[in-house]
Amino acid sequence: MADSQDIVVMGVETSCDDTAVAIVRRDADARYHVLANVVWTDHGDHALFGGIVPEIAARSHVERLDWVMEKALREAGIAPGALGGIAATAGPGLVGGVLVGLTAAKAFAMTHETPLIPVNHLEGHALSVRLTDEAPFPFLLLLISGGHSQLILAEGLGRYRRLGVTIDDAAGEAFDKTAKLLGLSQPGGPAIEAAAKTGDATRFRFPAPLARREGCDFSFSGMKTAVRETAIAAAPLSAEDTADIAASFQAAVARHLAAQSRKAMQSLSLAEDQRRFVLAGGVAANTAIKEAVENLCKEEGWRLTVPPPKFCTDNGAMIAVAGAERLAAGLAPQMDEALALAPRARWPLAPPLEGGAIGGGRKGPKA
Ligand code: KG4
Ligand code: ZN
């Protein structure tokens, strides 16, 4: 398919613990309509181990995926043969889970003679904003999830440049580890956000990492250590202490993300109408972080677009969008090429501007 016709695409996402399938329609004006968006989240078994266990996640995808695919088709009222394409995450991620989703998508593509588009999970996050907004290229993307924290200049489909990346933990990982330390539930981000609601964000001042260093990389391990030391010093923690630590930690993360994003904005000489900032990834669901980025964008004169929370956390719709964009641009691989593709644990979306950064394309267990 070479131009913009109406097309319906299924997206399959299994790179972490969510089994997610969505069906979206891309109309002739390149606008998206989500016909079904099914996410099966199974945190139960993992909680026993204090974090995501890759084998449990993979087994759970095997058990659920057929059912989730059928439910998505039923909700969308679409027959399999009416799909113009099936997109599946091919990496980066927990390789067992990616294998399950990609294999199911291959089988589906062969059975129904539907084009198969293997998708980079990070490109899915990058384009998730198009489910609800236009977001033309170029835009500066702050991608913050359980496995990634990156600042990326999205110049075009498949054309991404990385301006900054975490040198230790990902932002979501820091939320998850801090929640564990405070005895809160997993996933840690929503638990910390809920605890922080009644907390005093000014009671503790956690460090501002890499403030004096050039560039716009991220670091969260120092903050995590500071939280641990504070929690030990204040033990036993009252509910108020926990709320104050959660609020102060969340504020420190928000300040750090905004500070490094400001450096990235200032390093780009973009015309005013090209100053578009996009948030993506599970951590972008956080209200305090959204507010910090909103203020930053006001101060720097950038337009901000944030997908709604259900499209920030892992979902099949963002994978379907990436697949549909590739189909529309004539960038979908031939069937034999797509069938030969192996799942990839590592798959950096954007080459770093300078080499050597840690954590560029890896997504591991979240806690
Ligand atoms: O994008 P995502 O669903 O999966 C990955 O690709 O990693 O992101 C999951 C991460 C988890 O670490 C979770 O704690 C975090 O996003 N998260 C949040 C919030 N909701 C999810 N972090 C902070 N505040 C939230 N409201
Ligand atoms: Zn993700």
Side-chain angles (χ1 to χ4, degrees), residues 13 15-18 92 121-122 125 143-148 170-176 186-194 250 280-287 289 309 311-315 318 363-364 366:
E13 158 55 35
S15 69
C16 201
D17 59 335
D18 297 321
H121 179 84
L122 303 178
H125 276 303
L143 170 49
I144 36 177
S145 69
H148 300 276
E173 200 179 352
F175 270 99
D176 295 340
Q186 296 292 321
I192 295 233
E193 182 165 16
Q250 182 175 266
V283 183
N286 185 284
T287 307
I289 289 170
F311 298 138
C312 285
T313 48
D314 284 351
N315 64 86
M318 69 185 197
K363 184 162 113 175
K366 284 183 196 165

Side-chain angles (χ1 to χ4, degrees), residues 129 132-133 142 144 171 175 189-190 193 197 250-259 261 265 277-299 302-313:
V129 67
T132 45
D133 293 273
L142 174 60
I144 36 177
F175 270 99
E193 182 165 16
K197 280 215 167 74
Q250 182 175 266
V253 173
R255 275 196 305 272
H256 179 44
L257 291 170
S261 300
M265 288 172 171
F277 195 73
V278 170
L279 271 187
V283 183
N286 185 284
T287 307
I289 289 170
K290 267 188 285 200
E291 279 170 8
V293 172
E294 256 162 36
N295 289 335
L296 165 71
C297 287
K298 262 189 221 134
E299 286 163 17
W302 285 58
R303 188 164 354 132
L304 173 66
T305 320
V306 190
K310 67 177 174 194
F311 298 138
C312 285
T313 48

Side-chain angles (χ1 to χ4, degrees), residues 240-254:
E240 194 184 338
D241 293 332
T242 302
D244 291 348
I245 294 176
S248 303
F249 166 76
Q250 182 175 266
V253 173

Side-chain angles (χ1 to χ4, degrees), residues 182-205:
L182 295 175
L184 301 172
S185 59
Q186 296 292 321
I192 295 233
E193 182 165 16
K197 280 215 167 74
T198 56
D200 173 3
T202 62
R203 179 165 159 204
F204 302 103
R205 184 84 187 176

Side-chain angles (χ1 to χ4, degrees), residues 89-174:
T89 299
L94 301 174
V95 82
V98 177
L99 177 68
V100 174
L102 188 58
T103 307
K106 285 179 181 176
F108 189 99
M110 281 195 291
T111 311
H112 301 289
E113 295 181 4
T114 309
L116 170 66
I117 313 104
V119 165
N120 183 316
H121 179 84
L122 303 178
E123 184 166 66
H125 276 303
L127 300 179
S128 59
V129 67
R130 297 216 167 141
L131 287 162
T132 45
D133 293 273
E134 274 188 18
F137 294 119
F139 56 80
L140 179 58
L141 170 75
L142 174 60
L143 170 49
I144 36 177
S145 69
H148 300 276
S149 295
Q150 306 189 14
L151 274 159
I152 289 171
L153 179 63
E155 294 176 309
L157 192 60
R159 290 181 22 234
Y160 307 97
R161 287 200 302 147
R162 199 170 80 200
L163 305 181
V165 67
T166 182
I167 59 168
D168 41 56
D169 292 344
E173 200 179 352

